[in-house]
Amino acid sequence: MAVKVRNVRNAKKAKLWDEQDDAALLTLLRRKIKDVNIALRECETPYERTRLRKQRDHYKAMLGKVETGSYNGDIIFNELKASAALHQEQALSSRAHASVRGGKVYNKSYDPMDFDYEAAFRKKRYFGVSLPIVMTILSLILMASFIIGFFLPSDVNDKIAETTTLDFRTFFVYRLGETADGDVVDITIPNDGNWPRGLYTENDNFIDFYLDDRKPYVIDGNTPETVSLFGDCGCTAIYIDTSDIIKAWFKTKMLAKVRLDFLEDLQFFKGSSFYYELFLSGTKADDLVIKQDEQGQFDFGTIYNHIGVYGTIMFLIASFLMSVVLFIINFVRIFTFTSRRIHGTTLFTLFVSFLAMLCPALASCEGTALGTSFSNYFTGLNGTEAFVANNAASAGVTLIFILPAVLCLIMLILPFLFKNRYKKLPTRLPKGNKIHDPFNRNK
């Protein structure tokens, strides 16, 4: 493998390099690559590992050039000459620093350096624990907003809802009854006493104790197998909570052949899911299948409903899992130095919780009228009665469903609002211990 001489002036140098030198260089490069691989396996720090990978890539590139003969032999001589000069310079400097005089010169070379490391560190990190404690409390509230409906007693929740109009157990409201087009929205459920939480009008046949005592519906001494919520019971709105949405997940095709015993055996997730009855029961799931028509076009209304129905389930579960991760991360930050930059975990939690909040509007969208669906969806913030009075609305959001996205947004903003204090040095004197000079001679 002969060297290709491209520079006539350095032809004498190039002639000193022959095929044996090429073979020795190949052996040396392969040995170097093998040594670097061994060093990579024994390396413990990521910084050293990155440096070794770059060195290995450089050796492999050199090996490829030598094998193909596409390198310039003149460059090798220049590199060898420069390397020899560098080794000589390092040897001289090491000898100089080995002596006492050389060591003093070396130390004095760093005297003019004046860099405020603490100020540079404070721009990206903080020393105190106030910010991570606040963020831990917010992440705990974020996690509790998903599961508080499981543990909060109904009577306590109802009292809070009457005084503050904030229902902690309701994520969104689905209205039953007549629509603006004259159609009637109603669902039929088994008459087993498992009544949904919702808004019931005064009905002579449906008495309140059916809801309180969980008794089946009886009319004229007969107990029908199924009842119509709006027609028979006078239910004008159903309150959908976390358990309804998760129980609907158990009945989807995703978990049709898999049973999550550690969840489905809990008391919170037993019984029927009214979210499933509203959007997925019967042939409703088949209507959500995205298909092409005879002309090869997609029905965008079906796409919106498909994303809304299944997205509410999946994004809600993802939001809760990410809230648990956020709580763990913020709790650990109390005991460690923490970055003040925007964290991807909080940003991703904000994204999925925001999508979970918007998906019920897509699930109740009729056709492609997204603007109308979203405007009607947010009328639920005005109260349940005002929402039910709006005949154009099908689903309405509540404040508790917006709360996760708001908390994530606050956690993104807080690191920029909290200001760090400088560390108190050991030489600092408290104000009361300072020497009082009545003549102000120190000023």
Side-chain angles (χ1 to χ4, degrees):
M1 187 184 302
V3 177
K4 297 180 181 179
V5 180
R6 295 186 176 88
N7 194 346
V8 181
R9 296 179 180 177
N10 295 331
K12 294 182 180 180
K13 295 180 181 179
K15 288 180 180 179
L16 298 176
W17 193 270
D18 55 7
E19 287 80 359
Q20 293 182 356
D21 298 324
D22 285 337
L25 182 59
L26 286 172
T27 305
L28 179 62
L29 289 174
R30 292 193 182 101
R31 187 178 301 170
K32 284 289 185 182
I33 294 173
K34 185 177 180 181
D35 294 341
V36 173
N37 289 331
I38 295 174
L40 272 173
R41 288 195 295 267
E42 298 176 354
C43 184
E44 296 181 356
T45 61
Y47 307 103
E48 183 67 17
R49 195 177 295 112
T50 303
R51 186 188 68 81
L52 290 174
R53 286 198 186 100
K54 292 181 179 178
Q55 188 176 7
R56 183 183 59 183
D57 295 339
H58 181 62
Y59 287 155
K60 287 183 178 180
M62 290 175 61
L63 180 63
K65 292 180 180 179
V66 176
E67 288 177 344
T68 57
S70 59
Y71 69 96
N72 192 346
D74 301 330
I75 298 178
I76 295 178
F77 291 105
N78 295 331
E79 290 291 336
L80 290 175
K81 186 176 180 181
S83 178
L86 180 62
H87 284 306
Q88 184 179 5
E89 182 180 355
Q90 289 177 351
L92 292 175
S93 61
S94 62
R95 286 182 208 161
H97 296 159
S99 62
V100 178
R101 182 180 178 184
K104 292 181 180 180
V105 174
Y106 180 77
N107 292 332
K108 288 182 180 180
S109 63
Y110 286 91
D111 289 343
M113 183 179 293
D114 185 11
F115 184 75
D116 192 354
Y117 289 97
E118 184 177 353
F121 184 77
R122 288 177 67 254
K123 291 181 180 179
K124 299 180 180 179
R125 299 181 181 264
Y126 57 87
F127 301 101
V129 296
S130 58
L131 177 57
I133 287 177
V134 173
M135 294 184 70
T136 302
I137 296 173
L138 290 177
S139 58
L140 184 62
I141 298 173
L142 172 64
M143 187 171 56
S145 64
F146 294 101
I147 60 176
I148 192 172
F150 299 153
F151 307 102
L152 190 66
S154 299
D155 54 350
V156 176
N157 182 67
D158 294 340
K159 290 181 181 179
I160 296 175
E162 290 177 0
T163 56
T164 63
T165 66
L166 182 62
D167 191 350
F168 286 101
R169 301 180 62 183
T170 304
F171 277 2
F172 70 94
V173 181
Y174 195 87
R175 192 181 65 83
L176 302 179
E178 296 183 0
T179 62
D181 299 334
D183 299 332
V184 177
V185 180
D186 198 357
I187 60 173
T188 302
I189 63 173
N191 188 17
D192 55 359
N194 185 21
W195 306 111
R197 295 177 55 257
L199 183 64
Y200 292 85
T201 58
E202 295 182 359
N203 194 328
D204 296 336
N205 295 327
F206 193 78
I207 309 176
D208 291 337
F209 74 82
Y210 286 129
L211 295 175
D212 298 334
D213 299 336
R214 296 294 175 181
K215 295 181 179 180
Y217 174 66
V218 180
I219 181 172
D220 298 334
N222 298 322
T223 304
E225 295 181 357
T226 59
V227 291
S228 176
L229 281 180
F230 175 73
D232 297 333
C233 306
C235 179
T236 56
I238 298 178
Y239 301 157
I240 303 297
D241 56 4
T242 310
S243 62
D244 276 331
I245 298 175
I246 296 179
K247 284 187 290 187
W249 180 47
F250 298 151
K251 298 182 179 181
T252 56
K253 293 182 180 180
M254 182 185 302
L255 298 179
K257 298 181 180 180
V258 179
R259 190 178 191 277
L260 302 178
D261 295 334
F262 67 96
L263 289 179
E264 298 187 43
D265 290 340
L266 295 177
Q267 185 64 31
F268 312 120
F269 301 125
K270 292 182 179 180
S272 57
S273 171
F274 300 103
Y275 181 87
Y276 181 83
E277 297 294 335
L278 287 171
F279 296 106
L280 295 170
S281 63
T283 60
K284 296 177 182 178
D286 298 331
D287 296 337
L288 295 176
V289 178
I290 301 175
K291 299 179 180 178
Q292 291 180 334
D293 56 11
E294 298 177 354
Q295 299 178 354
Q297 301 294 328
F298 289 99
D299 185 6
F300 286 96
T302 304
I303 295 176
Y304 296 153
N305 298 145
H306 181 91
I307 296 175
V309 172
Y310 293 105
T312 302
I313 301 173
M314 303 315 300
F315 288 133
L316 179 67
I317 296 173
S319 301
F320 173 71
L321 295 178
M322 292 304 300
S323 67
V324 176
V325 174
L326 271 181
F327 173 73
I328 296 173
I329 292 176
N330 290 328
F331 181 75
V332 173
R333 287 175 186 166
I334 299 176
F335 311 99
T336 58
F337 295 114
T338 306
S339 174
R340 293 170 58 87
R341 299 175 181 175
I342 295 178
H343 293 276
T345 307
T346 310
L347 192 61
F348 180 74
T349 309
L350 171 63
F351 179 69
V352 294
S353 59
F354 183 73
L355 291 179
M357 182 260 295
L358 294 181
C359 278
L362 295 175
S364 60
C365 179
E366 297 181 359
T368 57
L370 281 179
T372 305
S373 178
F374 280 111
S375 62
N376 295 331
Y377 180 64
F378 286 100
T379 57
L381 297 174
N382 300 327
T384 306
E385 296 180 358
F387 169 73
V388 173
N390 185 9
N391 293 329
S394 296
V397 69
T398 60
L399 290 174
I400 195 66
F401 210 5
I402 301 178
L403 184 61
V406 174
L407 290 174
C408 293
L409 183 61
I410 293 175
M411 283 190 284
L412 285 176
I413 298 175
L414 279 181
F416 299 99
L417 299 181
F418 273 66
K419 294 182 179 180
N420 296 326
R421 297 179 180 179
Y422 285 101
K423 293 186 300 183
K424 295 180 180 180
L425 301 177
T427 57
R428 174 183 173 274
L429 284 175
K431 186 176 182 181
N433 294 342
K434 293 181 179 179
I435 300 175
H436 178 66
D437 186 2
F439 301 101
N440 294 328
R441 285 174 294 183
N442 295 329
K443 292 186 180 179

